[in-house]
């Protein structure tokens, strides 16, 4: 079988030769660095586009000192994110981010939680998205210590109640940007649906963590119990125990309170109640 000839990859030398300039001039013209007059810059860009030149990502990173890499991080225990559910939202989010990053010239990596090492120490990244950090989140601290900019999804600043006057802000709130997933609205919609379907004694199954979804569910559940006149019944599980721990907590609660007729479980890794 005859091997097909490999297509020639256009290099910076090809562009320089075609444009009649040096490789340094091509580099400066395309990167916006250095002193290149407008006519030369326009000519180089026209030649590069005509030849379909694509700069080497490795060469670009060596010149800029940046890795052109972003990461999605979660401080949730491995028992949650790497458990049977595989935390579907985590991977769906990663796919959407990866597409957007690639269009902007970045590589996007998914760094699942691990008990063995801090992923921030293992990665060469220019920025990160941190999913549902807690107030004293170690990954947020590691990112700040290394000077890596990051965005939080449901960080403490978007879920916790306002801090008392003069109190220090939660560590995870130090990110300039945070995306609110509106967990209070979601919890209220879910609980109202159960009650509207005829439930008279809904229970709540949550983890003991101080993550946004759990805080919101507790608050909404307590407020709704008072407003709708049912007795609050809450089962808690340690999130490090994953789905097995949540199942045990739910089973115990249902055995002790057999009049429960609905359960609100706001976290993906929690198991279905059978």
């Amino acid at each position: 079988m005859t091997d097909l000839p490999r297509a020639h990859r256009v290099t910076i030398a090809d562009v320089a030769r075609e444009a009649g300039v040096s490789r340094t001039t091509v580099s400066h013209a395309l990167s916006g660095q250095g002193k290149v007059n407008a006519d030369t810059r326009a000519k180089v860009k026209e030649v590069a586009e005509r030849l379909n030149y694509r700069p080497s990502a490795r060469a670009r990173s060596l010149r800029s000192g940046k890795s052109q890499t972003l990461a999605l991080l979660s401080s949730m225990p491995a028992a949650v994110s790497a458990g049977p559910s595989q935390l579907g939202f985590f991977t769906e989010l990663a796919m959407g981010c990866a597409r957007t990053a690639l269009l902007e010239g970045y590589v996007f990596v998914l760094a699942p939680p691990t008990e063995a090492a801090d992923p921030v120490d293992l990665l060469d990244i220019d920025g990160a998205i941190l999913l549902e950090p807690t107030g004293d989140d170690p990954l947020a601290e590691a990112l700040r210590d290394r000077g890596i900019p990051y965005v939080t999804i449901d960080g403490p600043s978007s879920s916790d109640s306002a801090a008392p006057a003069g109190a220090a802000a939660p560590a995870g709130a130090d990110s300039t940007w945070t995306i609110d997933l509106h967990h209070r609205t979601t919890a209220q919609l879910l609980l109202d649906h159960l009650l509207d379907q005829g439930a008279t004694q809904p229970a709540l199954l949550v983890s003991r963590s101080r993550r946004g979804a759990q805080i919101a569910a507790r608050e909404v559940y307590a407020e709704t119990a008072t407003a709708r006149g049912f007795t609050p019944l809450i089962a808690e599980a340690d999130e490090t125990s994953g789905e097995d721990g949540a199942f045990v907590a739910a089973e115990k609660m249902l055995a002790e309170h057999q009049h429960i007729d609905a359960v609100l479980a706001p976290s993906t890794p929690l198991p279905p109640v059978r």
Side-chain angles (χ1 to χ4, degrees):
M1 181 176 177
T2 304
D3 291 336
L4 295 174
R6 294 182 62 183
H8 171 67
R9 178 182 174 87
V10 177
T11 67
I12 195 170
D14 296 326
V15 177
R17 184 169 51 252
E18 182 73 12
V21 298
S22 69
R23 284 182 290 184
T24 299
T25 299
V26 172
S27 177
H28 288 174
L30 296 179
S31 68
Q33 299 176 346
K35 295 182 180 180
V36 180
N37 68 58
D39 291 341
T40 301
R41 190 183 304 275
K43 181 178 180 181
V44 169
K45 288 184 176 180
E46 183 276 323
V47 170
E49 184 174 350
R50 175 160 47 84
L51 296 181
N52 197 29
Y53 169 69
R54 294 292 181 269
S56 163
R58 175 177 293 182
R60 186 168 62 241
S61 67
L62 287 173
R63 287 194 302 269
S64 66
K66 296 183 177 180
S67 65
Q68 294 298 116
T69 302
L70 306 173
L72 176 60
L73 305 169
S74 173
S75 61
M76 292 183 181
V80 173
S81 61
S85 73
Q86 290 293 299
L87 199 57
F89 170 68
F90 190 51
T91 52
E92 289 175 12
L93 178 64
M95 287 301 297
C97 291
R99 293 190 194 98
T100 302
L102 191 59
L103 292 174
E104 297 295 330
Y106 283 82
V107 173
F108 195 83
V109 299
L110 172 61
T114 171
E115 304 293 350
D118 180 350
V120 177
D121 289 336
L122 302 176
L123 298 171
D124 181 13
I125 56 177
D126 296 330
I129 297 174
L130 182 55
L131 179 60
E132 287 199 85
T134 56
D136 56 351
D137 198 277
L139 289 182
E141 183 178 354
L143 289 167
R144 289 194 304 275
D145 287 346
R146 288 181 54 182
I148 299 173
Y150 65 98
V151 172
T152 63
I153 295 180
D154 270 339
S157 60
S158 68
S159 59
D160 277 348
S161 301
D174 286 356
S175 172
T176 304
W177 298 98
T178 187
I179 299 170
D180 187 353
L181 295 183
H182 303 289
H183 285 306
R184 280 190 59 90
T185 300
T186 302
Q188 191 68 69
L189 287 170
L190 293 172
L191 191 52
D192 285 347
H193 173 73
L194 294 176
L195 294 168
D196 292 344
Q197 293 300 306
T200 58
Q201 182 54 74
L204 177 65
L205 175 59
V206 290
S207 79
R208 296 190 182 96
S209 77
R210 296 290 295 169
R211 302 188 192 282
Q214 311 304 305
I215 295 170
R218 289 173 183 274
E219 293 175 349
V220 168
Y221 181 75
E223 293 164 5
T224 305
T226 299
R228 302 285 287 263
F230 61 84
T231 302
L233 295 173
I234 301 176
E236 296 181 330
D238 187 337
E239 67 179 5
T240 60
S241 64
E243 295 182 358
D244 290 341
F247 181 82
V248 170
E251 188 173 45
K252 181 176 184 293
M253 177 178 67
L254 292 173
E256 294 176 351
H257 305 280
Q258 297 185 11
H259 60 296
I260 290 174
D261 53 10
V263 177
L264 172 62
S267 182
T268 300
L270 298 182
V273 178
R274 296 193 289 269

